[in-house]
Each structure stands twice: as structure tokens, then as C-alpha cells.
Amino acid sequence: MIRRPYPFADGNGRIGRLWHTLLLSKWNPTFAWLPVESMIHARQPEYYAAINASNDAGESTVFIEFMLSTIKASLIDAINTSGEMSDEPMDKTTIRWKQIEKFLETHEFIMNADVRALCGVSAATANRILAKFVADEKLVKYHESGHWAYRLKI
């Protein structure tokens, strides 16, 4: 296995995906709002398999095909979700709330790491997002297995 130098001890993939989103959003602003990062997180085993297959082959085709299929899935999801939304433009807070609500449809609670993956934000930003929804009385904060967790306020 050939070791390549990476600029950071950790976070090279996140930085790469950030650049990916930045470049695509310069081409078309729609890409700034697509949750590609959370789609990759949901398909993490496939993501690493595509990276490994591309490394083994010595070329990027498998990884590029994986990324294109993930972007396509993200676009399809956005189109399907748009029918549930109003014709009014949504601000970032509303979009994030919709992502969290959708996550909580299939999970008992959400944690900071989940918000980071869903929204493609830092841990500090995820804390601010969660704190705002607690302050807005949309979420309730509680301790779960030694970590802070959040559930929908009933």
C-alpha cells in the first residue's frame, strides 16, 4: 500500500468533501443546500469501499461513480422533499429543522454528531443549532448514556 502525504492528521475526507461542495455550488448554487455529506454518512461502507477500490485500481473511476450516484440520490431526495415544502423560500434554520425532524421520524433521539453529519457543520455549530431548537421549545435536551441527546418536545 502506498502512503500518500495528507495535509491534516485527521479530517482530510471532510476537507475534501467541503471543497467538493464549494466547487459544485460555484457551478450551481443548488449544491450548497444539498445534504450530500449526510448521504455519504448514510452510505459510509460504500464510500470507503469505493475509495479502496480506486486506490487498488490506481485510478478514480469507482470513486467518481460512487460520488455521482450519491449526488444523484441527494438531488432526487431534494426533489421529492420539495413537494412537502411551501413555495416560500426557506432559510437555513428551516432547512436544518426539516432535516432534524426527518431524522427523528426514524430515531428516538438526535445527538451533536448526527446534526454534524446531517447539516455538514462543525461540532460548535451543531451545538448552536440544537440550543436554538431547545430555546424554541421544539426539542428537549437530556442525558443519554453519558452524552447529551435531544428528542422532540411533546
Side-chain angles (χ1 to χ4, degrees):
M1 177 177 189
I2 297 172
R3 289 272 181 206
R4 294 181 178 88
Y6 294 104
F8 307 106
D10 186 33
N12 290 291
R14 287 184 291 276
I15 295 297
R17 292 186 298 275
L18 173 68
W19 275 109
H20 177 196
T21 299
L22 178 66
L23 292 171
L24 285 173
S25 65
K26 292 290 184 190
W27 176 67
N28 185 322
T30 302
F31 289 101
W33 299 104
L34 286 179
V36 176
E37 182 75 19
S38 60
M39 299 286 282
I40 290 170
H41 181 71
R43 299 171 67 187
Q44 203 166 25
E46 293 172 74
Y47 173 76
Y48 286 116
I51 289 173
N52 291 333
S54 289
N55 283 338
D56 292 345
E59 54 110 19
S60 304
T61 303
V62 174
F63 182 72
I64 291 168
E65 288 173 344
F66 169 81
M67 289 304 299
L68 289 173
S69 72
T70 301
I71 291 167
K72 180 181 176 183
S74 186
L75 284 166
I76 289 169
D77 189 51
I79 290 166
N80 291 339
T81 303
S82 69
E84 302 167 11
M85 299 178 198
S86 70
D87 291 336
E88 299 292 317
M90 286 202 297
D91 63 10
K92 204 181 292 188
T93 302
T94 305
I95 291 169
R96 288 173 172 167
W97 175 245
K98 292 281 186 195
Q99 290 172 313
I100 289 169
E101 265 188 324
K102 187 170 183 151
F103 181 90
L104 288 171
E105 287 175 7
T106 57
H107 297 81
E108 183 181 335
F109 56 85
I110 191 164
M111 300 175 103
N112 180 291
D114 301 315
V115 174
R116 290 192 321 250
L118 283 173
C119 301
V121 298
S122 69
T125 301
N127 280 336
R128 286 191 294 275
I129 291 167
L130 291 164
K132 178 178 179 9
F133 293 136
V134 169
D136 291 347
E137 297 186 353
K138 292 182 174 187
L139 295 175
V140 174
K141 182 178 179 179
Y142 67 100
H143 242 126
E144 176 71 32
S145 302
H147 298 281
W148 289 110
Y150 302 80
R151 62 173 168 75
L152 288 172
K153 184 164 185 173
I154 301 173

